[in-house]
Amino acid sequence: MSIDWAEINAKLPYEKTPEEKERRMAMFNQFDPNGNGILSLAEVDKAMRDVLAIDDLFDAKPAIMRAFQIAKNCTKSNRSDGHGDDYIEKREFRYFLLSLRQYFEYFVAFERIDEGGDRRVNLEEFIAAKDKVEAWVGPVDDMEAEFAKIDANGGGQILFDEFCNWAIGKALDLDDDEE
């Protein structure tokens, strides 16, 4: 999977500058076709395809879902209609874009390990990816023990959510992304 990181970074205005804020607010309005000031997961998913128009990002559904969930829960809603906590509000949109960029990086790393393409990483795949993993997180002395730590539910497979929790703790950083 060859990713155009420059394009992704250019299309995700999450920096705290006046210019990026202006772009972000315009983008939020494009994501919010009914103008109600909140974004559902369906609206976000559609906008990933129609507004951002980056196929690799659109196809990374687990990354989109994680970014959506974390962003909608980052603040308590002040909306009187009771719908805000289930959706992304304008004040949470920057955090969504920032999270999307980070979770997409984790998704790309996960896909590079998942040789079977089944969105799960087994022990053999993890051990075979030792050089990649160490390039991203530093030395790992015992790959089997590390696998067991990541496999939080003990199912014998690393799921994307488990991988993300580990990647955050290890400050995973792909060597080919542009930050």
Side-chain angles (χ1 to χ4, degrees):
M1 174 186 291
S2 178
I3 305 298
D4 186 346
W5 291 105
E7 178 187 23
I8 288 170
N9 292 335
K11 288 191 174 183
L12 297 176
Y14 55 77
E15 298 292 337
K16 289 184 173 183
T17 65
E19 299 81 21
E20 293 269 295
K21 183 175 184 178
E22 185 176 328
R23 283 184 56 218
R24 194 167 47 251
M25 291 301 100
M27 182 181 285
F28 183 91
N29 292 335
Q30 290 178 296
F31 273 53
D32 184 23
N34 60 10
N36 65 356
I38 54 177
L39 303 177
S40 69
L41 180 58
E43 287 172 324
V44 166
D45 190 50
K46 184 176 184 318
M48 298 301 292
R49 183 192 66 215
D50 299 344
V51 177
L52 291 179
I54 302 173
D55 290 340
D56 290 326
L57 201 51
F58 176 71
D59 293 337
K61 300 298 185 203
I64 296 167
M65 177 61 89
R66 266 205 70 122
F68 181 85
Q69 293 299 326
I70 199 166
K72 78 176 185 68
N73 293 325
C74 73
T75 62
K76 183 80 176 131
S77 177
N78 294 329
R79 291 177 64 97
S80 60
D81 62 9
H83 293 298
D85 288 335
D86 297 327
Y87 302 91
I88 295 175
E89 298 179 45
K90 275 188 180 180
R91 64 190 174 142
E92 298 165 328
F93 192 58
R94 186 186 82 79
Y95 191 62
F96 167 73
L97 296 173
L98 180 64
S99 299
L100 179 63
R101 168 60 176 83
Q102 191 61 53
Y103 285 118
F104 181 66
E105 184 173 349
Y106 298 155
F107 181 79
V108 170
F110 186 81
E111 291 284 295
R112 288 178 182 173
I113 297 172
D114 178 21
E115 293 293 325
D118 58 358
R119 300 231 167 135
R120 299 177 300 179
V121 173
N122 63 38
L123 179 60
E124 292 75 28
E125 290 170 321
F126 190 68
I127 290 172
K130 181 176 175 58
D131 290 343
K132 292 177 191 174
V133 169
E134 290 186 330
W136 304 331
V137 302
V140 178
D141 295 328
D142 184 343
M143 291 296 282
E144 286 188 39
E146 199 71 17
F147 181 90
K149 279 192 261 182
I150 301 168
D151 182 18
N153 70 2
Q157 303 276 341
I158 298 172
L159 305 176
F160 182 65
D161 283 349
E162 294 170 325
F163 184 80
C164 287
N165 293 336
W166 173 78
I168 291 166
K170 291 287 190 176
L172 184 147
D173 186 27
L174 289 179
D175 47 358
D176 64 336
D177 72 326
E178 298 174 14
E179 299 180 81

